[in-house]
Every structure is written in structure tokens, then in C-alpha cells.
Amino acid sequence: MTGISTHVLDTSLGRPAEGVPVELALHTEGGWQVLGASATDSDGRVKDLPAVEAGSVVRLLFDTAAYYARKSEEPPFFPEVSIVFTVAPAQHHYHVPLLLNPFGYSVYRGS
């Protein structure tokens, strides 16, 4: 089994994005099966998502609309960010950070 964690940084503010809802789902023949959900803590981190099987295709879905609703009356340009990746058999853990701002985002495989 492979652990998954994430971290969201609000680059427009230069600090962690607290309270971003995050969902982890597994791709199946029938579509996406939600495995777990959480929200970023005061440090912008989610550490309590369930582990997944090696070889799985998984999705991290970030509800950025919920985060920005607390910050602005205008709807965000990106109401959600969906990151889909394959879990390699030899990996014991993946950390997938999201760098977020009102008009863009970037994601990478962390360590």
C-alpha cells in the first residue's frame, strides 16, 4: 500500500491555505470511487488520506471554491483542481503539493 499526502500553499498570500476540502478517489471501470476526504490544516497539509494499492490511478480533488468563498465574494476562476496520477509499484509514499492563486495553480510530486 502507498500513502498519499498533500499540501496547499496560497502563493498570492505567501502562506498555507487552511480549510481546503480535499477528496481522494480511485479510478475504476465504473468511474471514480471516493476513498476518503479531509481538509487542509493550519499548515495547509492533509496527512490523513487512506493508502492506495500500487498500480492504481488516483485523483486528488481540491475544492478551491470553498476556500475562496471565505476570502472573496467573487467566484474563483478555478472552482476545483483535479490532479490525476498513477501510483508506481515501488513507491511507499507520494506527497503531492498544490501551489494555488486566484488565476492559476501548479502541482508537482514532492518528497
Side-chain angles (χ1 to χ4, degrees):
M1 299 296 279
T2 301
I4 307 287
S5 63
T6 189
H7 183 189
V8 183
L9 298 172
D10 186 330
T11 58
S12 65
L13 300 175
R15 63 178 183 234
E18 181 178 4
V20 179
V22 180
E23 176 185 281
L24 176 66
L26 173 69
H27 189 263
T28 67
E29 288 183 18
W32 292 102
Q33 175 189 351
V34 176
L35 300 176
S38 190
T40 55
D41 61 17
S42 62
D43 195 31
R45 296 179 182 275
V46 174
K47 304 174 190 172
D48 59 351
L49 295 171
V52 297
E53 288 189 38
S56 300
V57 174
V58 296
R59 177 184 69 193
L60 286 171
L61 184 63
F62 299 85
D63 184 354
T64 54
Y67 173 70
Y68 283 117
R70 296 189 309 275
K71 306 214 171 288
S72 171
E73 292 181 15
E74 292 186 35
F77 186 71
F78 295 107
E80 66 180 28
V81 174
S82 177
I83 309 300
V84 178
F85 58 98
T86 303
V87 178
Q91 297 299 309
H92 297 288
H93 185 84
Y94 279 106
H95 183 65
V96 184
L98 173 66
L99 306 178
L100 182 64
N101 68 65
F103 298 103
Y105 63 88
S106 179
V107 65
Y108 61 98
R109 179 181 165 196
S111 57

